[in-house]
């Protein structure tokens, strides 16, 4: 009887180098009776530099029927989790060949892995990771078996992915609902603004006749006023390197304050103000205040020599000019473009930010702002802030804050305490660079940069007014109407701060001053007639204009990037 088929099953070893099986037909007569027969089959495995034969035993029955299959079974498959991968012998729970492990996690007999690391170098026989004898850890286990949980782990990963996708979808859904709510609220606000604008347009027609009457009376007062003009007095060098930006006057100390960068940036970096005495017309001490460029300067009406300054370093500060030290710092969180005091209550100050909002601060609390006036239109920087105090005027008795941005202006009427009611001023959309106020006559000067429709710089003098609503239960609407328009050159790149003030010649007339970049000069107009009164030359474009009075004499100061020019009214 010939064994027609031999089937060999062997476990795969990482160190297996060669398998060589030589198989020859075998008869029953040649095999030992009822015993195991060693077939001419050999498997060679390379360990420790030697070839170790592993024999497969074939069990043959006494009388095997035709077609019987003899199977050679390698016992290493069934004991794979219990044998050392170096010597293929079972490890023990004690003794020299006890169970041990390397840092990589592979298991061996202690004596085998110890000899291996001595002779073969510092590497694991299974994964070739670096190892040393001190990495050998003895394990205490009677029997080691590994549970195949591959499918379970795959299902867990799939479940986690599905849960992550679901959370992401829920988050996107919540964001969409929030965006829908915001858009709905904005639509409601826009609808309300449209209704208010329609009412303002209807009221503008009725107030136009009043504006014409006011223009005529202003012109008559101007024509009847006595004469006079500005005469150049002195030019003062403020900063040799340039960088001056804004100007203000301190009445208690009789000095002008001009912002400039530090002349010694390595020793005293940052920006501050230069004192210019109006008594002897000489430049005085430099006071460091901010880390970045200063955009606004203002004084209160308490005559306490406290300077309020706003800068692009996200702060507004109060500086005592008596001691030349910063006494209060308010962190706004955003660059500040303008600032002013509340003239009805000197405990409050305002900061115009670059996102279009206005923050209200209480000087008695430096921790945070007490209120934030959000922009009603766009988020353009607030380039100018002016406060109009309450007055016994039938035309415009209310007080509040006028905030001017590049897209227009808004009057925040102070109702009481920190409560404000917004009134959008009917200004031209786009191109507004500055809004200045003459509080006593209740006029404001709006400056527009050149554009396609108007190629020249325009300064529009407007009269503030308040008209009641058709519904008596609603609050009156504050607005403004144009009185006179003044035109200058065709260039406006520097956001010059202009001025409107009472004429030194008469209390009943006003002068309008604006910097003209095209001619590098200061233009002075008579507000009543709208005619050019004087043109004061300058070496560089004028950035700020400040009228002031000292010893019952009137002066006009114009600031350029480097110089300060002072003119006296005669």
């Amino acid at each position: 009887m010939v064994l027609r088929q031999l089937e060999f099953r062997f476990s795969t070893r990482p160190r297996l180098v060669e398998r060589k099986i030589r198989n020859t037909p075998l008869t029953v007569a040649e095999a030992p009776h009822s015993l195991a027969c060693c077939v001419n089959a050999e498997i060679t495995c390379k360990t420790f530099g030697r070839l170790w034969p592993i024999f497969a035993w074939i069990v043959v029955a006494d009388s095997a029927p035709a077609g019987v299959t003899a199977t050679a079974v390698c016992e290493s498959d069934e004991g794979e989790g219990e044998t050392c991968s170096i010597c293929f012998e079972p490890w023990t729970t004690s003794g020299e060949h006890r169970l041990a492990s390397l840092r990589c996690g592979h298991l061996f007999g202690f004596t085998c892995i110890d000899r291996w690391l001595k002779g073969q170098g510092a590497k694991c026989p299974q994964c070739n990771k670096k190892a040393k004898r001190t990495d050998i850890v003895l394990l205490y286990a009677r029997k080691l078996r590994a549970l195949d949980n591959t499918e379970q782990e795959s299902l867990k990963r799939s479940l986690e992915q599905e849960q992550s996708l679901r959370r992401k979808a829920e988050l996107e859904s919540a964001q969409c609902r929030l965006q829908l709510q915001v858009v709905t609220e904005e639509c409601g606000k826009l609808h309300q603004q449209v209704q208010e604008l329609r009412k303002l347009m209807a009221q503008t027609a009725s107030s136009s006749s009043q504006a014409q009457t006011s223009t005529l009376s202003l012109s008559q007062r101007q024509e009847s006023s006595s004469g006079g003009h500005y005469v150049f007095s002195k030019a003062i060098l403020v900063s040799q390197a340039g960088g001056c930006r804004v100007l203000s006057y301190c009445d208690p100390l009789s000095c002008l304050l001009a912002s400039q960068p530090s002349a010694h940036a390595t020793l005293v970096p940052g920006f501050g103000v230069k004192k210019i005495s109006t008594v002897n017309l000489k430049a005085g001490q430099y006071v460091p205040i901010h880390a970045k460029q200063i955009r606004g300067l203002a004084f209160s009406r308490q005559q306490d020599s406290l300077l309020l300054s706003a800068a692009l370093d996200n702060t507004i500060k109060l500086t005592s000019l008596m001691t030349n030290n910063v006494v209060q710092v308010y962190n706004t969180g955003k660059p500040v473009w303008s600032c002013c005091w509340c003239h009805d209550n000197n405990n409050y100050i305002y900061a115009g930010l670059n996102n279009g909002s206005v923050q209200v601060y209480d000087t008695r609390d430096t921790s945070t702002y007490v209120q934030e006036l959000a922009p009603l239109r766009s988020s353009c920087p607030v380039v100018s802030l002016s406060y109009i105090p309450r007055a016994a005027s039938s035309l415009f008795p209310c007080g509040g804050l006028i905030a001017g941005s590049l897209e227009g202006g808004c009057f925040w009427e102070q109702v009481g305490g920190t409560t404000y009611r917004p009134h959008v001023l009917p200004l031209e959309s786009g191109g507004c660079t500055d809004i200045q106020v003459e509080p006593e006559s209740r006029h404001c000067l709006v400056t527009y940069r050149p554009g396609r429709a108007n190629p020249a710089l325009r300064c529009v003098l407007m009269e503030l007014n308040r008209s009641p609503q058709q519904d008596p239960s609603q609050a009156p609407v504050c607005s403004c109407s144009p009185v006179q328009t003044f035109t200058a050159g065709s260039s406006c790149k520097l956001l010059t701060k202009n001025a409107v003030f009472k004429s030194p010649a008469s209390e009943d007339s006003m002068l309008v001053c604006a910097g003209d970049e095209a001619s590098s000069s200061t233009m002075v107009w008579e507000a009543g007639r709208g005619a050019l009164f004087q043109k004061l030359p300058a070496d560089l474009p004028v950035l700020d204009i400040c009228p002031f009075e000292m010893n019952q004499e009137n002066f006009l100061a114009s600031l350029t990037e480097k110089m300060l020019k002072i003119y006296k009214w005669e």
Side-chain angles (χ1 to χ4, degrees):
M1 178 179 177
V2 179
L3 297 178
R4 294 182 176 87
Q5 183 177 1
L6 289 176
E7 181 181 352
F8 291 87
R9 293 188 288 111
F10 306 98
S11 62
T12 305
R13 300 289 183 186
R15 303 291 296 177
L16 195 60
V17 180
E18 179 184 2
R19 289 182 181 180
K20 184 167 61 177
I21 302 174
R22 293 188 302 273
N23 190 12
T24 56
L26 200 66
T27 62
V28 176
E30 295 173 348
H33 182 69
S34 300
L35 294 176
C37 175
C38 178
V39 188
N40 190 10
E42 183 183 16
I43 304 170
T44 58
C45 178
K46 185 176 182 181
T47 56
F48 298 113
R50 298 175 59 186
L51 292 178
W52 298 83
I54 300 176
F55 297 100
W57 295 89
I58 302 175
V59 180
V60 182
D62 285 337
S63 57
V68 71
T69 301
T71 304
V73 180
C74 180
E75 297 178 356
S76 61
D77 252 1
E78 297 182 359
E80 185 176 358
E82 303 174 0
T83 58
C84 174
S85 60
I86 298 177
C87 66
F88 305 108
E89 294 292 333
W91 48 58
T92 61
T93 58
S94 61
E96 295 182 352
H97 201 255
R98 67 186 304 168
L99 182 61
S101 170
L102 293 178
R103 294 182 63 181
C104 58
H106 291 109
L107 305 177
F108 310 94
F110 175 74
T111 54
C112 294
I113 189 60
D114 187 60
R115 288 198 306 270
W116 178 274
L117 293 178
K118 283 182 180 179
Q120 295 294 326
K123 287 186 180 181
C124 173
Q126 294 278 42
C127 61
N128 283 334
K129 287 187 178 179
K130 291 183 178 181
K132 50 188 177 180
R133 295 180 65 191
T134 57
D135 294 337
I136 301 175
V137 179
L138 296 177
L139 301 180
Y140 300 90
R142 297 184 62 184
K143 195 170 185 179
L144 181 65
R145 291 188 181 275
L147 179 63
D148 186 7
N149 62 342
T150 305
E151 185 176 359
Q152 183 181 359
E153 292 297 325
S154 176
L155 292 176
K156 283 184 179 180
R157 286 193 296 270
S158 300
L159 179 60
E160 290 175 356
Q161 291 177 358
E162 293 295 333
Q163 291 176 347
S164 176
L165 291 175
R166 182 175 180 178
R167 287 193 297 267
K168 185 177 180 181
E170 291 176 352
L171 180 60
E172 292 178 353
S173 176
Q175 291 176 349
C176 290
R177 288 196 300 269
L178 182 59
Q179 291 176 359
L180 177 61
Q181 182 180 355
V182 172
V183 171
T184 304
E185 292 177 357
E186 290 181 354
C187 288
K189 292 179 181 179
L190 292 176
H191 180 71
Q192 184 179 358
Q193 292 179 11
V194 169
Q195 297 297 330
E196 293 177 356
L197 289 176
R198 287 178 180 175
K199 293 178 181 179
L200 288 175
M201 292 175 62
Q203 294 168 3
T204 303
S206 61
S207 62
S208 59
S209 58
Q210 299 178 0
Q212 293 176 359
T213 304
S214 175
T215 304
L216 293 175
S217 62
L218 188 61
S219 177
Q220 291 174 359
R221 292 195 301 266
Q222 183 68 25
E223 291 175 354
S224 62
S225 63
S226 58
H229 63 283
Y230 283 108
V231 178
F232 174 74
S233 180
K234 190 175 182 179
I236 304 170
L237 179 64
V238 180
S239 175
Q240 183 68 42
C244 298
R245 189 65 186 87
V246 289
L247 185 66
S248 186
Y249 179 69
C250 179
D251 189 34
L253 299 180
S254 299
C255 67
L256 288 166
L257 283 302
S259 69
Q260 68 164 99
S262 175
H264 306 283
T266 55
L267 298 177
V268 186
F271 290 75
V273 293
K274 175 70 72 66
K275 289 183 177 180
I276 298 99
S277 174
T278 56
V279 178
N280 54 13
L281 300 182
K282 291 184 179 180
Q285 185 178 1
Y286 169 77
V287 182
I289 301 177
H290 289 277
K292 293 185 179 180
Q293 187 185 47
I294 298 175
R295 301 291 300 187
L297 299 174
F299 287 96
S300 68
R301 292 188 173 183
Q302 285 187 336
Q303 306 292 326
D304 52 4
S305 303
L306 275 180
L307 174 65
L308 173 64
S309 59
L312 301 180
D313 58 357
N314 303 351
T315 61
I316 57 174
K317 297 183 179 182
L318 290 178
T319 304
S320 173
L321 296 181
M322 300 295 293
T323 60
N324 296 332
N325 291 321
V326 176
V327 295
Q328 294 280 19
V329 179
Y330 305 89
N331 188 4
T332 61
K334 293 181 177 59
V336 191
W337 281 58
S338 54
C339 63
C340 73
W341 290 81
C342 175
H343 296 312
D344 287 325
N345 187 347
N346 288 315
N347 291 322
Y348 294 103
I349 54 178
Y350 305 94
L353 307 185
N354 69 335
N355 63 349
S357 63
V358 178
Q359 291 181 353
V360 185
Y361 287 87
D362 191 339
T363 56
R364 297 161 294 185
D365 181 12
T366 60
S367 59
T368 183
Y369 55 86
V370 296
Q371 189 175 358
E372 183 172 7
L373 308 178
L376 297 180
R377 290 183 175 176
S378 63
S379 57
C380 293
V382 180
V383 294
S384 62
L385 281 178
S386 301
Y387 191 87
I388 300 180
R390 296 184 181 92
S393 170
S394 59
L395 188 63
F396 195 80
C398 50
L401 184 71
I402 291 184
S405 67
L406 300 177
E407 291 296 329
C410 178
F411 174 68
W412 294 90
E413 180 185 1
Q414 188 178 25
V415 181
T418 58
T419 305
Y420 296 84
R421 182 185 298 120
H423 301 272
V424 178
L425 299 179
L427 305 181
E428 298 179 12
S429 60
C432 178
T433 61
D434 182 56
I435 300 179
Q436 297 297 327
V437 171
E438 209 296 305
E440 294 186 9
S441 64
R442 324 301 274 181
H443 285 80
C444 65
L445 182 67
V446 182
T447 304
Y448 297 101
R449 66 174 59 179
R452 294 181 180 179
N454 298 283
L457 175 72
R458 291 176 301 131
C459 296
V460 181
L461 183 66
M462 293 192 171
E463 186 177 38
L464 298 171
N465 53 65
R466 187 178 70 165
S467 57
Q469 290 277 22
Q470 297 178 357
D471 187 0
S473 62
Q474 296 183 357
V477 175
C478 298
S479 182
C480 61
S481 55
V483 175
Q484 195 68 261
T485 301
F486 314 93
T487 58
S490 59
S491 176
C492 180
K493 300 179 181 179
L494 301 176
L495 301 180
T496 301
K497 293 183 177 298
N498 302 321
V500 54
F501 54 94
K502 287 189 175 183
S503 173
S506 173
E507 290 290 330
D508 296 331
S509 60
M510 288 190 301
L511 295 180
V512 172
C513 295
D516 182 21
E517 293 183 18
S519 60
S520 295
S521 62
T522 302
M523 313 286 285
V524 184
W525 293 277
E526 294 178 344
R529 294 184 299 161
L532 181 63
F533 178 66
Q534 271 187 283
K535 188 173 184 180
L536 309 175
D539 298 331
L540 295 171
V542 177
L543 298 175
D544 201 353
I545 300 170
C546 178
F548 63 95
E549 182 180 354
M550 185 188 66
N551 297 331
Q552 297 181 353
E553 292 182 332
N554 295 278
F555 298 86
L556 182 68
S558 64
L559 179 67
T560 64
E561 190 178 5
K562 297 181 179 181
M563 302 289 295
L564 176 69
K565 286 193 174 184
I566 299 178
Y567 302 88
K568 184 179 179 181
W569 179 268
E570 293 182 355

